[in-house]
Short mmCIF file of all heavy atoms in Angstrom, two decimals:
data_model
loop_
_atom_site.label_atom_id
_atom_site.label_comp_id
_atom_site.label_asym_id
_atom_site.label_seq_id
_atom_site.Cartn_x
_atom_site.Cartn_y
_atom_site.Cartn_z
N GLY A 129 -33.41 4.54 -6.66
CA GLY A 129 -33.75 3.89 -7.95
C GLY A 129 -33.11 4.60 -9.07
O GLY A 129 -33.07 5.85 -9.15
N GLY A 130 -32.62 3.88 -9.99
CA GLY A 130 -32.02 4.37 -11.24
C GLY A 130 -30.57 4.78 -11.15
O GLY A 130 -30.03 5.16 -12.13
N VAL A 131 -30.02 4.64 -9.95
CA VAL A 131 -28.59 4.99 -9.72
C VAL A 131 -27.78 3.73 -9.64
O VAL A 131 -28.19 2.81 -8.82
CB VAL A 131 -28.41 5.89 -8.56
CG1 VAL A 131 -26.87 6.16 -8.33
CG2 VAL A 131 -29.15 7.13 -8.79
N HIS A 132 -26.69 3.57 -10.35
CA HIS A 132 -25.93 2.30 -10.33
C HIS A 132 -24.48 2.64 -10.13
O HIS A 132 -23.84 3.42 -10.90
CB HIS A 132 -26.11 1.54 -11.64
CG HIS A 132 -27.52 1.12 -11.93
ND1 HIS A 132 -27.99 -0.17 -11.62
CD2 HIS A 132 -28.56 1.83 -12.37
CE1 HIS A 132 -29.19 -0.20 -11.97
NE2 HIS A 132 -29.62 0.94 -12.45
N ALA A 142 -27.40 -5.65 -13.05
CA ALA A 142 -28.45 -4.72 -12.71
C ALA A 142 -28.60 -3.58 -13.78
O ALA A 142 -29.70 -3.17 -14.26
CB ALA A 142 -28.37 -4.20 -11.28
N LEU A 143 -27.43 -3.01 -14.06
CA LEU A 143 -27.28 -1.90 -15.12
C LEU A 143 -27.81 -2.40 -16.47
O LEU A 143 -28.54 -1.71 -17.21
CB LEU A 143 -25.93 -1.35 -15.18
CG LEU A 143 -25.74 -0.18 -16.02
CD1 LEU A 143 -26.70 0.94 -15.77
CD2 LEU A 143 -24.29 0.30 -15.95
N SER A 144 -27.42 -3.58 -16.80
CA SER A 144 -27.71 -4.10 -18.14
C SER A 144 -29.26 -4.35 -18.25
O SER A 144 -29.92 -4.06 -19.26
CB SER A 144 -27.05 -5.54 -18.31
OG SER A 144 -27.29 -5.98 -19.60
N ARG A 145 -29.90 -4.81 -17.10
CA ARG A 145 -31.30 -4.95 -17.12
C ARG A 145 -32.09 -3.63 -17.22
O ARG A 145 -33.22 -3.59 -17.68
CB ARG A 145 -31.81 -5.78 -15.87
CG ARG A 145 -31.40 -7.25 -15.76
CD ARG A 145 -32.04 -7.98 -14.73
NE ARG A 145 -31.70 -7.44 -13.38
CZ ARG A 145 -30.68 -7.92 -12.63
NH1 ARG A 145 -29.92 -8.92 -13.14
NH2 ARG A 145 -30.35 -7.45 -11.40
N ALA A 146 -31.43 -2.62 -16.70
CA ALA A 146 -32.14 -1.33 -16.55
C ALA A 146 -32.07 -0.53 -17.87
O ALA A 146 -32.78 0.54 -17.93
CB ALA A 146 -31.46 -0.47 -15.45
N VAL A 147 -31.28 -0.81 -18.88
CA VAL A 147 -31.12 -0.07 -20.05
C VAL A 147 -31.67 -0.85 -21.27
O VAL A 147 -31.69 -2.08 -21.30
CB VAL A 147 -29.72 0.33 -20.31
CG1 VAL A 147 -29.24 1.18 -19.13
CG2 VAL A 147 -28.84 -0.81 -20.53
N GLY A 148 -31.90 -0.08 -22.30
CA GLY A 148 -32.28 -0.62 -23.61
C GLY A 148 -32.25 0.49 -24.60
O GLY A 148 -31.82 1.55 -24.41
N THR A 151 -32.83 4.33 -23.89
CA THR A 151 -32.77 4.80 -22.54
C THR A 151 -31.81 5.94 -22.41
O THR A 151 -30.83 6.04 -23.14
CB THR A 151 -32.23 3.60 -21.66
OG1 THR A 151 -33.09 2.43 -21.86
CG2 THR A 151 -32.16 3.97 -20.23
N ARG A 152 -32.15 6.91 -21.59
CA ARG A 152 -31.33 8.07 -21.28
C ARG A 152 -30.37 7.69 -20.04
O ARG A 152 -30.92 7.39 -19.03
CB ARG A 152 -32.12 9.38 -21.03
CG ARG A 152 -32.98 9.80 -22.18
CD ARG A 152 -33.88 10.94 -21.70
NE ARG A 152 -34.65 10.68 -20.49
CZ ARG A 152 -35.32 11.46 -19.78
NH1 ARG A 152 -35.23 12.82 -20.10
NH2 ARG A 152 -36.02 11.15 -18.68
N ALA A 153 -29.12 7.81 -20.29
CA ALA A 153 -28.13 7.54 -19.17
C ALA A 153 -27.26 8.73 -18.96
O ALA A 153 -26.70 9.23 -20.01
CB ALA A 153 -27.40 6.28 -19.44
N VAL A 154 -26.89 8.99 -17.77
CA VAL A 154 -25.85 9.98 -17.38
C VAL A 154 -24.73 9.13 -16.66
O VAL A 154 -25.00 8.51 -15.68
CB VAL A 154 -26.39 11.18 -16.50
CG1 VAL A 154 -25.19 12.02 -16.09
CG2 VAL A 154 -27.36 11.92 -17.35
N VAL A 155 -23.49 9.19 -17.21
CA VAL A 155 -22.39 8.58 -16.56
C VAL A 155 -21.51 9.66 -15.93
O VAL A 155 -21.13 10.64 -16.59
CB VAL A 155 -21.44 7.83 -17.62
CG1 VAL A 155 -20.27 7.30 -16.87
CG2 VAL A 155 -22.26 6.74 -18.33
N ILE A 156 -21.38 9.59 -14.62
CA ILE A 156 -20.68 10.65 -13.84
C ILE A 156 -19.19 10.14 -13.63
O ILE A 156 -19.04 9.25 -12.87
CB ILE A 156 -21.29 10.92 -12.51
CG1 ILE A 156 -22.78 11.44 -12.74
CG2 ILE A 156 -20.50 11.93 -11.69
CD1 ILE A 156 -23.60 11.56 -11.50
N LEU A 169 -22.52 1.33 -22.95
CA LEU A 169 -23.92 1.69 -23.05
C LEU A 169 -24.28 2.26 -24.37
O LEU A 169 -25.36 1.94 -24.88
CB LEU A 169 -24.21 2.78 -21.91
CG LEU A 169 -24.15 2.32 -20.55
CD1 LEU A 169 -24.18 3.44 -19.61
CD2 LEU A 169 -25.36 1.30 -20.14
N VAL A 174 -28.04 3.11 -26.05
CA VAL A 174 -28.48 4.00 -24.94
C VAL A 174 -28.03 5.41 -25.35
O VAL A 174 -26.97 5.62 -25.94
CB VAL A 174 -27.81 3.58 -23.64
CG1 VAL A 174 -28.11 4.64 -22.52
CG2 VAL A 174 -28.32 2.18 -23.24
N GLN A 175 -28.84 6.41 -24.97
CA GLN A 175 -28.41 7.83 -25.18
C GLN A 175 -27.64 8.29 -24.03
O GLN A 175 -28.12 8.44 -22.93
CB GLN A 175 -29.68 8.74 -25.35
CG GLN A 175 -30.65 8.30 -26.51
CD GLN A 175 -31.88 9.12 -26.46
OE1 GLN A 175 -31.98 10.22 -25.86
NE2 GLN A 175 -32.95 8.66 -27.08
N VAL A 176 -26.27 8.40 -24.17
CA VAL A 176 -25.42 8.58 -23.13
C VAL A 176 -24.89 9.96 -23.04
O VAL A 176 -24.45 10.58 -24.07
CB VAL A 176 -24.17 7.61 -23.25
CG1 VAL A 176 -23.26 7.81 -21.96
CG2 VAL A 176 -24.67 6.21 -23.32
N VAL A 177 -24.91 10.57 -21.86
CA VAL A 177 -24.27 11.84 -21.56
C VAL A 177 -23.15 11.58 -20.51
O VAL A 177 -23.39 10.89 -19.45
CB VAL A 177 -25.20 12.88 -20.97
CG1 VAL A 177 -24.38 14.16 -20.60
CG2 VAL A 177 -26.27 13.17 -21.96
N ARG A 224 -37.03 7.51 -7.76
CA ARG A 224 -36.07 7.26 -8.82
C ARG A 224 -35.36 8.63 -9.20
O ARG A 224 -36.06 9.70 -9.27
CB ARG A 224 -36.62 6.66 -10.05
CG ARG A 224 -37.16 5.22 -9.90
CD ARG A 224 -37.62 4.70 -11.25
NE ARG A 224 -36.49 4.56 -12.23
CZ ARG A 224 -35.65 3.51 -12.25
NH1 ARG A 224 -35.77 2.55 -11.35
NH2 ARG A 224 -34.68 3.49 -13.12
N VAL A 225 -34.04 8.59 -9.47
CA VAL A 225 -33.40 9.79 -9.92
C VAL A 225 -33.82 10.08 -11.37
O VAL A 225 -33.57 9.15 -12.27
CB VAL A 225 -31.89 9.55 -9.77
CG1 VAL A 225 -31.13 10.69 -10.49
CG2 VAL A 225 -31.50 9.62 -8.34
N ARG A 226 -34.29 11.26 -11.62
CA ARG A 226 -34.78 11.62 -13.01
C ARG A 226 -34.01 12.81 -13.49
O ARG A 226 -34.06 13.11 -14.67
CB ARG A 226 -36.23 11.84 -12.99
CG ARG A 226 -37.11 10.65 -12.72
CD ARG A 226 -37.01 9.70 -13.78
NE ARG A 226 -37.92 8.61 -13.59
CZ ARG A 226 -37.99 7.51 -14.40
NH1 ARG A 226 -37.12 7.36 -15.37
NH2 ARG A 226 -38.85 6.47 -14.12
N ARG A 227 -33.26 13.50 -12.66
CA ARG A 227 -32.53 14.65 -13.05
C ARG A 227 -31.12 14.68 -12.52
O ARG A 227 -30.95 14.24 -11.27
CB ARG A 227 -33.20 15.98 -12.60
CG ARG A 227 -34.66 16.16 -13.13
CD ARG A 227 -35.13 17.56 -12.76
NE ARG A 227 -34.97 17.80 -11.32
CZ ARG A 227 -35.80 17.38 -10.40
NH1 ARG A 227 -36.93 16.71 -10.69
NH2 ARG A 227 -35.64 17.77 -9.12
N VAL A 228 -30.10 15.01 -13.28
CA VAL A 228 -28.85 15.25 -12.76
C VAL A 228 -28.46 16.74 -12.93
O VAL A 228 -28.56 17.32 -14.06
CB VAL A 228 -27.81 14.48 -13.63
CG1 VAL A 228 -26.33 14.85 -13.18
CG2 VAL A 228 -27.98 12.92 -13.31
N LEU A 236 -29.83 17.76 -16.55
CA LEU A 236 -29.92 16.63 -17.56
C LEU A 236 -30.97 15.69 -17.15
O LEU A 236 -30.98 15.20 -15.99
CB LEU A 236 -28.54 15.86 -17.59
CG LEU A 236 -27.28 16.68 -17.96
CD1 LEU A 236 -25.99 15.82 -17.63
CD2 LEU A 236 -27.32 17.07 -19.39
N GLY A 237 -31.94 15.44 -18.07
CA GLY A 237 -32.89 14.36 -17.73
C GLY A 237 -32.29 13.05 -17.90
O GLY A 237 -31.38 12.78 -18.80
N THR A 238 -32.71 12.04 -17.04
CA THR A 238 -32.06 10.80 -17.11
C THR A 238 -33.04 9.66 -16.67
O THR A 238 -33.88 9.91 -15.80
CB THR A 238 -30.74 10.71 -16.24
OG1 THR A 238 -30.12 9.47 -16.42
CG2 THR A 238 -31.07 10.89 -14.76
N ASP A 239 -32.83 8.44 -17.20
CA ASP A 239 -33.54 7.29 -16.73
C ASP A 239 -32.57 6.44 -15.85
O ASP A 239 -33.06 5.81 -14.86
CB ASP A 239 -34.01 6.41 -17.82
CG ASP A 239 -34.88 7.14 -18.80
OD1 ASP A 239 -35.82 7.74 -18.36
OD2 ASP A 239 -34.62 7.15 -20.04
N VAL A 240 -31.26 6.54 -16.17
CA VAL A 240 -30.28 5.73 -15.42
C VAL A 240 -29.04 6.65 -15.24
O VAL A 240 -28.64 7.33 -16.06
CB VAL A 240 -29.88 4.52 -16.29
CG1 VAL A 240 -28.60 3.83 -15.62
CG2 VAL A 240 -30.98 3.51 -16.39
N THR A 241 -28.55 6.62 -13.95
CA THR A 241 -27.33 7.32 -13.65
C THR A 241 -26.26 6.36 -13.17
O THR A 241 -26.49 5.57 -12.28
CB THR A 241 -27.59 8.41 -12.55
OG1 THR A 241 -28.68 9.24 -12.95
CG2 THR A 241 -26.38 9.19 -12.23
N VAL A 242 -25.07 6.50 -13.76
CA VAL A 242 -24.04 5.53 -13.48
C VAL A 242 -22.88 6.28 -12.74
O VAL A 242 -22.41 7.37 -13.20
CB VAL A 242 -23.44 4.93 -14.76
CG1 VAL A 242 -22.28 3.95 -14.43
CG2 VAL A 242 -24.47 4.17 -15.47
N LEU A 243 -22.45 5.83 -11.56
CA LEU A 243 -21.43 6.47 -10.84
C LEU A 243 -20.12 5.78 -11.17
O LEU A 243 -19.96 4.60 -10.80
CB LEU A 243 -21.69 6.37 -9.32
CG LEU A 243 -23.07 6.90 -8.89
CD1 LEU A 243 -23.22 6.68 -7.36
CD2 LEU A 243 -23.12 8.39 -9.18
#
Side-chain angles (χ1 to χ4, degrees):
V131 179
H132 299 261
L143 181 55
S144 184
R145 290 191 296 268
V147 301
T151 301
R152 299 174 303 167
V154 175
V155 177
I156 302 175
L169 290 169
V174 176
Q175 299 175 20
V176 183
V177 178
R224 293 185 64 83
V225 168
R226 293 296 186 184
R227 300 187 309 275
V228 173
L236 300 168
T238 185
D239 303 308
V240 169
T241 303
V242 181
L243 304 178

